Amino acid sequence: MAATAKNKKLRVAVLASGGGSNLQCLLDRFPPGDDSPAPAQVVLVVSDRPGAGALERAARAGVRGEVVSPSEFAAAELFGARLLELFARERIGLVVLAGYLKLVPPNVVARYSNRMINIHPALLPSFGGKGMYGSRVHEAVLSFGAKLSGPTVHFVNEHYDRGPVIAQRAVPVYFEDSAGQLAARVLEQEHELLPDVVGLIATGRVEVSGGRVRIIRD
Ligand code: GRF
């Protein structure tokens, strides 16, 4: 998976349902084309929502954007087959879920085992799982009274938010916080953490061993 030569950049697809601020950070760090020295390039953006801000960001960056909605398909397997067809056509080496709200079908998870990552806005394994997305996550952190929160980037497996953790960042949680204030503090860290992890993967410094992740530092 490592990208070494200039013309062997890791080719990245980003799946996003919403505004795509994390996508933007990836586009800024890993622009399409061979001009930048970055070890990866974002070459495909897929959304389930035609109006997603993420698609506008893709268009502005000159990256191919596709709308693929699970509701168009009679079965999850067919939805997955369509995603896999797009990934194959673009020779995708890494799939990044950045605010993607649909379940990725099992055939895609299997094909992209250890090559698909997700960002979650809390410190997993707490405050994750089915239905835990958006402000619900931050509301749960606040109502539990946790004193730390922060983003987690992890490999995707067949269970919601349960694949091997690659990296986390901690931010303080204040008694006076609203869910929106906490979300903003976490998001600021997401914007650094996600591109950092993609860079580590693109340079071959992320190893999975026995269900755990080792980061190879310089
Ligand atoms: C982020 O908080 C991310 O952790 C979660 O969805 C949100 C997406 O935000 N999975 P954006 O669309 O990247 O701005």
Side-chain angles (χ1 to χ4, degrees):
M1 196 191 322
T4 44
K6 192 179 169 216
N7 59 356
K8 286 289 274 178
K9 288 170 178 249
L10 179 65
R11 293 174 66 83
V12 177
V14 180
L15 272 54
S17 300
S21 68
N22 278 290
L23 165 66
Q24 189 62 54
C25 294
L26 293 172
L27 289 167
D28 293 345
R29 185 94 68 97
F30 307 108
D34 287 330
D35 292 344
S36 88
Q41 56 177 329
V42 178
V43 295
L44 176 66
V45 172
V46 179
S47 183
D48 52 301
R49 291 183 36 229
L55 291 169
E56 278 171 39
R57 294 182 193 271
R60 271 203 300 275
V63 171
R64 178 175 177 189
E66 293 280 346
V67 179
V68 186
S69 173
S71 59
E72 293 163 28
F73 299 89
E77 202 182 338
L78 299 173
F79 169 46
R82 173 66 181 140
L83 291 176
L84 288 173
E85 183 191 328
L86 287 170
F87 297 165
R89 202 183 300 160
E90 291 293 342
R91 291 171 287 118
I92 298 301
L94 178 72
V95 177
V96 180
L97 309 184
Y100 187 63
L101 298 178
K102 300 294 176 188
L103 185 64
V104 178
N107 49 350
V108 179
V109 174
R111 183 78 65 83
Y112 276 82
S113 172
N114 294 340
R115 295 190 299 152
M116 177 157 44
I117 64 175
N118 178 49
I119 185 154
H120 182 77
L123 295 171
L124 294 175
S126 296
F127 310 111
K130 199 170 186 320
M132 286 297 268
Y133 59 85
S135 61
R136 291 186 200 179
V137 175
H138 305 293
E139 278 155 14
V141 169
L142 289 170
S143 65
F144 184 77
K147 299 301 179 205
L148 289 174
S149 190
T152 300
V153 180
H154 63 96
F155 283 112
V156 174
N157 67 13
E158 59 280 13
H159 307 291
Y160 269 110
D161 298 331
R162 293 311 292 259
V165 170
I166 305 169
Q168 297 180 304
R169 288 263 181 101
V171 305
V173 180
Y174 301 117
F175 186 83
E176 299 76 16
D177 273 345
S178 64
Q181 285 168 325
L182 178 56
R185 196 175 306 122
V186 172
L187 194 62
E188 204 180 313
Q189 295 302 316
E190 292 184 36
H191 290 165
E192 289 178 13
L193 189 66
L194 187 57
D196 283 356
V197 168
V198 171
L200 288 170
I201 291 173
T203 50
R205 287 182 286 162
V206 175
E207 276 179 11
V208 188
S209 163
R212 293 193 303 146
V213 169
R214 173 185 290 130
I215 305 291
I216 301 155
R217 303 279 174 197
D218 297 331

